[in-house]
Amino acid sequence: MAGRLSLPEVDLTCPVCCDIFREPVVLKCSHSFCAPCLQQYWTRQGRRRDCPLCRAPSVDDPVPSLTLRNLCEACVTEDGGQAAGDAEGELYCDPEVMCPQHGEKLKLFCLLDREPICVVCHTSRKHKQHDCCPVGEAVADVKDKMKSALSSLKERRESFEKMKKNFENTVVHIQEQARFVERRTHEEFEKLHNFLQAEEESRMEALRREEEQKSEGVRQQIQELEEELSSLSETIKVLEEEMVLEDLSVLHKSKSTLARAERPVEDPVLAPGSLIDVAKYVGSLAFQVWERMQTLIKFSPVTLDPNTAAPWLVLSDDLTSVQDSDVKQKLPDNPERFNPDTAVLGRQGLSGGRHAWEVDVGGNTAWVVGVAKESVKRKEKVASVLNNGYLCVYFYHKMYFAGTSPLTRLALKTNPRRIRVQLDCDKGRMSFYDAHTNAHIHTFKHSLSETVFPYLWVGCHNSPLTIQPVEVSLKLHDLS
């Protein structure tokens, strides 16, 4: 509504009695007076009829001022006459807002033209037969609409403020996620670096030992060869000395010398394997290290997605284990997250082929294991049954169920501590087994028209649910 317009009280005061106009009239000179005050003034003047202010003669009778009378009545009503009107709940327009054409109060509101009008306007050609209502009712209707709009805007502002806070918390959470990934990446690469460094040092140590061993073997052969050379040199020297002798002395001394010279001696040859096995060290070096790395590296067929985990769940750093808690973490309420259901999905969606994984349920007394369709509702608590988009088995109140509609009670001979899940997306088969005994638990036959994700729900603090790692092996293709 426009601001209220008002006139100073002095402008509504008669210059003769100095009070609010009563039955105001206006002279030809444009000055206004109370009709009784002007008549009393003229009576005292005798036969003269002039203006009390400017003394201009007034030949014509004074004209009643309807506009001024309405303003004065409104002023009097504001000062003390409004109580009765308020009691009846009647609302009036500002007294200064008058009909510019007829000088009457704008007491009506044209519902067709959406504008305030006076009583005279209502009978005019412009507004004739238009539906109208009192201005007070129109004001009340507008205020109701304004109140409703204000309430809606406040709710929206409150919602936006919550969203802004959530977005700010999301920025902080993103930074925390980045730091977590940095830490985990450094830790994993540190393990790899340590492994590679230890592997390198081990290989260098083996190389040094072989170098020393092979060198020592050749040095022993060199020593034996030096001893043989010394013996040969000595024999050669003796023969040379005896060859210069004459007569019978040669015959006497040459017998032993010739026997010594004619002693059979094998030619020196390097022993087999004297050299370092270079190929053992450098042949397919990276592959050999990779093969040995299998003892260090673990592979999980399912990696849990922390962006889907309910705020009460605590995930292990390697994202293979989940446990319930009493503390609700301050996490962004992103669309992927389950809340309030204490559930979490696997990171990788499955839409084709065959897949298998095992979940260690341990001593947990409330759990659900299976898959969930991508379209499942995540912001409300729903039963994990087939018609809600889940293919699961669960354990609750010491009973096992399959999530059919209605539920199927499962009679198991033993309490499985590890559940094996086998999914054939192409055939639409989902089977559950006791991983230790290989006993069949339940099989769903349900065609999959959309991507599904491994699903875990945990409802107690006793123990976590853990995805078991699988053995990794290297397979070489036969080229024959």
Side-chain angles (χ1 to χ4, degrees):
M1 183 180 289
R4 187 179 181 86
L5 303 175
S6 60
L7 290 173
E9 188 171 322
V10 66
D11 293 334
L12 303 178
T13 302
C14 172
V16 176
C17 66
C18 297
D19 202 350
I20 301 298
F21 287 111
R22 292 172 297 134
E23 300 178 21
V25 293
V26 60
L27 299 179
K28 197 169 185 178
C29 61
S30 299
H31 290 130
S32 300
F33 306 92
C34 297
C37 294
L38 181 61
Q39 191 60 43
Q40 185 178 6
Y41 173 79
W42 280 348
T43 300
R44 291 199 304 265
Q45 293 292 323
R47 301 179 63 180
R48 292 180 55 188
R49 291 166 57 90
D50 57 351
C51 175
L53 291 179
C54 64
R55 305 302 182 184
S58 178
V59 178
D60 301 326
D61 291 332
V63 179
S65 176
L66 181 60
T67 300
L68 191 56
R69 186 188 68 183
N70 290 336
L71 290 175
C72 292
E73 289 178 354
C75 182
V76 172
T77 302
E78 275 190 344
D79 290 340
Q82 188 74 15
D86 288 345
E88 298 174 0
E90 184 179 2
L91 300 175
Y92 293 95
C93 214
D94 292 340
E96 294 80 9
V97 179
M98 309 298 291
C99 178
Q101 295 181 351
H102 307 107
E104 291 284 346
K105 286 184 180 180
L106 301 175
K107 293 184 178 182
L108 299 176
F109 184 77
C110 179
L111 298 177
L112 180 63
D113 296 328
R114 308 300 299 173
E115 62 178 2
I117 61 175
C118 68
V119 177
V120 179
C121 291
H122 190 208
T123 60
S124 67
R125 182 181 303 172
K126 181 180 179 181
H127 299 282
K128 192 173 183 179
Q129 296 183 345
H130 286 184
D131 289 335
C132 297
C133 70
V135 166
E137 292 183 7
V139 170
D141 291 342
V142 170
K143 284 189 175 182
D144 286 342
K145 292 180 180 179
M146 293 174 67
K147 183 178 179 180
S148 176
L150 182 62
S151 177
S152 176
L153 290 174
K154 286 183 177 180
E155 290 179 359
R156 187 180 301 178
R157 181 179 65 181
E158 183 178 354
S159 175
F160 280 17
E161 288 175 348
K162 290 181 179 179
M163 293 173 61
K164 177 175 176 290
K165 183 63 176 178
N166 185 46
F167 289 168
E168 292 172 347
N169 293 338
T170 301
V171 172
V172 174
H173 185 68
I174 290 173
Q175 295 171 346
E176 292 174 350
Q177 285 183 312
R179 302 294 81 77
F180 169 77
V181 172
E182 286 179 358
R183 178 177 63 82
R184 286 293 298 155
T185 303
H186 286 316
E187 290 174 355
E188 291 300 310
F189 272 95
E190 186 68 22
K191 291 179 183 178
L192 297 176
H193 293 158
N194 292 339
F195 171 84
L196 292 175
Q197 184 177 357
E199 184 69 17
E200 181 182 5
E201 292 177 355
S202 174
R203 287 175 171 271
M204 293 300 99
E205 180 61 27
L207 176 62
R208 284 192 292 270
R209 287 197 303 268
E210 185 172 357
E211 178 188 8
E212 184 62 30
Q213 179 185 355
K214 297 296 176 68
S215 297
E216 182 61 27
V218 175
R219 279 195 292 267
Q220 289 180 0
Q221 287 186 294
I222 291 174
Q223 184 178 357
E224 294 173 357
L225 187 59
E226 287 177 345
E227 292 175 355
E228 191 65 34
L229 283 172
S230 178
S231 177
L232 289 174
S233 297
E234 183 63 26
T235 303
I236 290 172
K237 180 181 178 182
V238 172
L239 285 174
E240 288 176 344
E241 291 176 350
E242 291 179 352
M243 284 180 64
V244 299
L245 297 177
E246 297 294 339
D247 303 328
L248 293 175
S249 58
V250 175
L251 296 175
H252 291 300
K253 295 183 177 181
S254 63
K255 183 177 180 180
S256 61
T257 304
L258 288 174
R260 183 178 172 184
E262 292 174 358
R263 178 175 58 86
V265 178
E266 295 182 2
D267 292 339
V269 178
L270 279 174
S274 297
L275 300 181
I276 291 177
D277 189 357
V278 176
K280 179 183 72 173
Y281 292 100
V282 299
S284 298
L285 176 59
F287 177 82
Q288 294 180 39
V289 175
W290 181 30
E291 190 175 28
R292 283 180 53 81
M293 197 177 290
Q294 292 181 73
T295 59
L296 174 69
I297 296 176
K298 295 181 179 180
F299 174 75
S300 176
V302 173
T303 299
L304 302 179
D305 186 356
N307 293 339
T308 66
W312 291 272
L313 297 183
V314 178
L315 273 61
S316 60
D317 282 354
D318 62 359
L319 304 179
T320 62
S321 181
V322 58
Q323 188 164 7
D324 194 13
S325 72
D326 292 324
V327 179
K328 183 179 181 180
Q329 304 174 73
K330 293 182 179 179
L331 299 175
D333 190 20
N334 48 301
E336 302 86 354
R337 191 176 307 283
F338 283 93
N339 189 2
D341 250 352
T342 53
V344 62
L345 295 181
R347 166 65 179 80
Q348 188 67 38
L350 311 174
S351 57
R354 292 184 297 176
H355 310 272
W357 62 93
E358 293 184 359
V359 182
D360 191 333
V361 297
N364 204 300
T365 59
W367 51 261
V368 178
V369 173
V371 299
K373 295 181 180 179
E374 189 173 15
S375 60
V376 296
K377 297 178 180 179
R378 309 189 188 191
K379 300 303 179 185
E380 56 185 87
K381 199 172 184 68
V382 296
S384 304
V385 295
L386 185 61
N387 60 356
N388 292 329
Y390 297 87
L391 286 80
C392 299
V393 296
Y394 54 98
F395 178 57
Y396 196 68
H397 289 311
K398 299 182 179 181
M399 294 181 291
Y400 294 92
F401 299 92
T404 56
S405 303
L407 296 176
T408 300
R409 176 79 179 274
L410 303 176
L412 305 184
K413 294 181 180 180
T414 60
N415 293 331
R417 298 181 66 84
R418 183 180 296 182
I419 305 297
R420 183 168 70 250
V421 183
Q422 293 182 343
L423 172 63
D424 191 330
C425 295
D426 301 327
K427 293 183 178 180
R429 292 178 64 88
M430 181 85 173
S431 298
F432 298 85
Y433 297 88
D434 184 333
H436 289 146
T437 65
N438 207 35
H440 178 256
I441 297 175
H442 186 76
T443 294
F444 289 96
K445 297 180 180 180
H446 181 75
S447 60
L448 300 177
S449 58
E450 62 176 289
T451 302
V452 296
F453 292 82
Y455 172 84
L456 296 179
W457 178 92
V458 57
C460 84
H461 306 162
N462 290 359
S463 61
L465 302 183
T466 303
I467 306 295
Q468 293 299 304
V470 297
E471 293 184 1
V472 178
S473 61
L474 300 176
K475 181 180 180 181
L476 301 179
H477 293 282
D478 189 358
L479 298 179
S480 61

